[in-house]
Amino acid sequence: MRGLIVLLCVAMLAGCQSAETGSSPELAAAPAAAAEPILPLQPVPAVAHRAYASIVVDGKTGKILEEDDATSPRYPASLTKMMTLYLVFEQLSSGRWTPQTALTVSAEAASRPPAKLGVRAGSTIPVDTAVRALAVRSANDVAVVIAENIAGSEDAFARRMTAKARALGMSRTSFVNASGLPDDRQYTTARDIAILGKALHDRFPQYFKYFSTREISYGGRTWKNTNKLLTKVDGVNGIKTGYIRDSGFNLCASVERDGKHIIAVVLGGKSGASRNAQMEKLIEEYLPQASGGSIFGF
């Protein structure tokens, strides 16, 4: 009997280790109704600077089609704003906000460094404009506006972001700000970003179109979307780019073509051009391998 108990314990431990190392052939995300846990403080892992990682996931089945160092910690940079927008979309879906809801701009938010929209302290900005500012301009000042209007402070909002990440199954992600500005305590993985990208696509189809917005005008200036593949690669319909010095050039892309759908992530590109080229290569190689038709098989 004692030997049987030991064998059972070993089997359970092996199962836990398999999940932790990401060896599952499918991208696992928690159900939409998963509770947001109270999170204990976690030790900050060693994050490789400007190191490459990638993953390609079948957008319909969650099957992983390709991965390269996809569970190693990386800095998300402005891919952080994907989670910021996830929480905005929850506000909109619940009816707590509408696209016309006016968000108040604090001096703290207005002081954030570029990239920014240039909102002024004491002014307001509609939710619709704020969402476009994040999706297109990747505006750090507007990210803080959103954080403060949802949670009262950016710190409190970041705790919500991390709790939501855990609820979605993003087990190796920690957020400490809403923008992705440099902070050693803020990290993620290519796999976790793919989970988030798929959740945004699947759970908020009515708002996902924001990620394909081509440009935004504000204060007499116009900016084009930082995701250049929107106009270059057939089927790309989002979602987000990111860059800080320690992350390199990041991109999460959604591609729908010929009845197939993939979510692809490239982290640690040496330049915007090389990152985009690698993403194009992954799209053309792995999109044909994705499942065709609808998820119901007809």
Side-chain angles (χ1 to χ4, degrees), residues 17 67 93 134 150 233 236 277:
Q17 289 174 334
E67 59 180 327
S93 295
L134 263 62
I150 288 179
V233 177
V236 172

Side-chain angles (χ1 to χ4, degrees), residues 155-167:
D155 286 344
F157 185 76
R159 289 193 291 273
R160 291 194 188 188
M161 294 170 73
T162 302
K164 181 59 65 177
R166 294 294 183 275

Side-chain angles (χ1 to χ4, degrees), residues 195-213:
I195 289 173
L196 179 55
K198 189 173 186 305
L200 281 162
H201 179 276
D202 294 351
R203 298 179 183 180
F204 304 108
Q206 70 274 44
Y207 304 122
F208 191 79
K209 61 186 179 182
Y210 275 114
F211 290 110
S212 62
T213 304

Side-chain angles (χ1 to χ4, degrees), residues 264-288:
V265 179
V266 170
L267 305 180
K270 303 303 181 184
S271 67
S274 65
R275 173 204 62 196
N276 291 349
Q278 179 62 12
M279 180 62 78
E280 288 186 61
K281 179 180 177 181
L282 292 174
I283 291 170
E284 298 309 324
E285 182 172 356
Y286 292 102
L287 183 62

Side-chain angles (χ1 to χ4, degrees), residues 75-271:
Y75 296 120
S78 281
L79 298 189
T80 297
K81 296 182 178 82
M82 291 167 58
M83 180 59 81
T84 301
L85 287 171
Y86 189 101
L87 296 182
V88 173
F89 296 161
E90 284 193 332
Q91 293 284 110
L92 290 167
S93 295
S94 68
R96 291 189 294 270
W97 282 1
T98 72
Q100 292 73 44
T101 298
L103 307 180
T104 302
V105 179
S106 70
E108 179 72 16
S111 71
R112 283 299 186 273
K116 60 194 300 180
L117 197 65
V119 291
R120 295 183 179 180
S123 66
T124 61
I125 179 173
V127 168
D128 179 74
T129 303
V131 170
R132 294 175 189 277
L134 263 62
V136 176
R137 174 60 175 158
S138 200
N140 296 324
D141 50 355
V142 177
V144 179
V145 170
I146 288 169
E148 292 176 340
N149 279 266
I150 288 179
S153 71
E154 188 173 16
D155 286 344
F157 185 76
R159 289 193 291 273
R160 291 194 188 188
M161 294 170 73
T162 302
K164 181 59 65 177
R166 294 294 183 275
L168 291 174
M170 300 168 64
S171 61
R172 295 186 175 186
T173 294
S174 175
F175 294 111
V176 295
N177 64 52
S179 63
L181 284 169
D183 193 304
D184 287 346
R185 300 168 298 162
Q186 182 144 298
Y187 55 88
T188 190
T189 68
R191 184 186 178 97
D192 281 3
I193 290 297
I195 289 173
L196 179 55
K198 189 173 186 305
L200 281 162
H201 179 276
D202 294 351
R203 298 179 183 180
F204 304 108
Q206 70 274 44
Y207 304 122
F208 191 79
K209 61 186 179 182
Y210 275 114
F211 290 110
S212 62
T213 304
R214 300 297 175 88
E215 64 181 32
I216 182 174
S217 296
Y218 184 87
R221 298 186 62 184
T222 298
W223 297 274
K224 295 187 181 300
N225 198 309
T226 55
N227 183 2
K228 306 304 181 186
L229 298 190
L230 284 170
T231 56
K232 185 178 181 182
V233 177
D234 181 34
V236 172
N237 58 2
I239 46 183
K240 192 75 189 70
T241 64
Y243 170 81
I244 58 173
R245 182 175 56 192
D246 287 342
S247 74
F249 292 83
N250 299 339
L251 174 61
C252 177
S254 169
V255 190
E256 297 185 71
R257 186 198 305 167
D258 299 329
K260 299 173 183 278
H261 178 220
I262 60 172
I263 299 291
V265 179
V266 170
L267 305 180
K270 303 303 181 184
S271 67

Side-chain angles (χ1 to χ4, degrees), residues 20-43:
E20 182 66 15
T21 55
S23 60
S24 169
E26 293 187 2
L27 194 72
E36 296 181 12
I38 298 174
L39 302 174
L41 293 176
Q42 299 290 333

